[in-house]
Amino acid sequence: DQQVKQNSPSLSVQEGRISILNCDYTNSMFDYFLWYKKYPAEGPTFLISISSIKDKNEDGRFTVFLNKSAKHLSLHIVPSQPGDSAVYFCAASADGGSNYKLTFGKGTLLTVNP
Amino acid sequence: DARVTQTPRHKVTEMGQEVTMRCQPILGHNTVFWYRQTMMQGLELLAYFRNRAPLDDSGMPKDRFSAEMPDATLATLKIQPSEPRDSAVYFCASGLVRDGTSSTDTQYFGPGTRLTVL
């Protein structure tokens, strides 16, 4: 029973264009959402987060949008750069923070082509 | 530059052998997590500790897996006996929760232990 779903295993975009990564969740108790980025042979690193009281959070080239009614969030990267090529994990918490139990999606491999 | 360290980075063993993976959380962090990453299941939480006490180990196969924190600077994950289906990358992560309140501080992941059970 996947409570956090990333339905696109991979995504390929051109450098300079927008990358949009999507994530859906089923548990209405989730109230805090995060995106992690993972390079090969490394652990995931935190990218950006959003609380359920917001619908948007922006940090430089990265913006996360949350649509609670649709139980959907997305990560926008503008403009995409080759160094953004990595696996992106969506994660959710029902405890209001990131240092509680997180449920992860299976990840989306983003490839940004020069 | 504070980091989570994990040893060993790679482990190849035969079915039936005991495997011990170690994690040194970032100094001062009071929450430690163990995750397993496989192609089929993605990143799954196995167990986590707060102030060295286990809070949730519901993701861990109880018959063969065990997780402990002998002290605040060391977390261990043991598999005994190991099976080929345990082959995966095991990640440790640490973070800080202050005074029991919700924390927006992130979890910091180690580089992982790649386990292969033949």
Side-chain angles (χ1 to χ4, degrees):
Chain A
D1 173 23
Q2 279 265 299
Q3 297 187 59
V4 177
K5 299 178 184 179
Q6 294 178 256
N7 291 320
S8 297
S10 63
L11 174 68
S12 182
V13 299
Q14 285 299 120
E15 181 178 5
R17 299 290 187 107
I18 184 172
S19 296
I20 300 176
L21 296 97
N22 294 303
C23 178
D24 297 295
Y25 62 95
T26 58
N27 188 341
S28 58
M29 299 300 291
F30 288 146
D31 58 2
Y32 194 75
F33 304 88
L34 309 93
W35 285 93
Y36 281 81
K37 175 179 178 180
K38 185 185 178 306
Y39 292 118
E42 296 183 8
T45 55
F46 171 73
L47 190 58
I48 192 169
S49 62
I50 187 167
S51 166
S52 60
I53 62 174
K54 295 185 175 182
D55 54 18
K56 176 182 174 181
N57 189 26
E58 194 170 352
D59 183 2
R61 297 185 297 113
F62 303 92
T63 303
V64 56
F65 295 91
L66 176 62
N67 182 333
K68 289 187 292 292
S69 61
K71 293 191 177 68
H72 177 83
L73 63 156
S74 61
L75 174 68
H76 292 211
I77 307 173
V78 184
S80 301
Q81 300 174 352
D84 296 329
S85 297
V87 176
Y88 289 78
F89 290 98
C90 170
S93 166
D95 302 294
S98 66
N99 273 299
Y100 298 84
K101 183 174 179 176
L102 291 183
T103 302
F104 282 81
K106 292 187 178 182
T108 297
L109 173 63
L110 173 67
T111 303
V112 180
N113 301 302
Chain B
D1 185 21
R3 297 186 184 192
V4 175
T5 58
Q6 290 186 247
T7 56
R9 292 294 310 275
H10 301 272
K11 176 72 176 179
V12 180
T13 191
E14 294 190 346
M15 183 172 63
Q17 296 298 304
E18 177 178 304
V19 174
T20 298
M21 291 169 270
R22 293 178 174 81
C23 167
Q24 183 173 9
I26 292 173
L27 190 64
H29 281 185
N30 61 1
T31 308
V32 175
F33 305 83
W34 282 106
Y35 291 91
R36 174 171 64 182
Q37 184 187 14
T38 62
M39 290 295 293
M40 293 298 294
Q41 298 298 326
L43 205 56
E44 308 171 89
L45 178 68
L46 297 175
Y48 79 105
F49 295 77
R50 173 100 9 92
N51 298 320
R52 297 177 54 202
L55 285 191
D56 188 333
D57 62 1
S58 58
M60 208 162 64
K62 299 292 190 304
D63 55 340
R64 299 182 300 108
F65 284 59
S66 62
E68 295 179 347
M69 282 201 72
D71 60 60
T73 64
L74 177 65
T76 62
L77 180 66
K78 289 187 181 179
I79 308 175
Q80 168 63 11
S82 57
E83 298 181 0
R85 60 180 167 152
D86 301 329
S87 297
V89 180
Y90 291 81
F91 290 103
C92 174
S94 73
L96 178 63
V97 173
R98 305 173 200 272
D99 301 323
T101 60
S102 296
S103 168
T104 57
D105 293 336
T106 185
Q107 295 183 22
Y108 294 84
F109 280 76
T113 294
R114 179 174 293 278
L115 174 65
T116 302
V117 184
L118 303 174

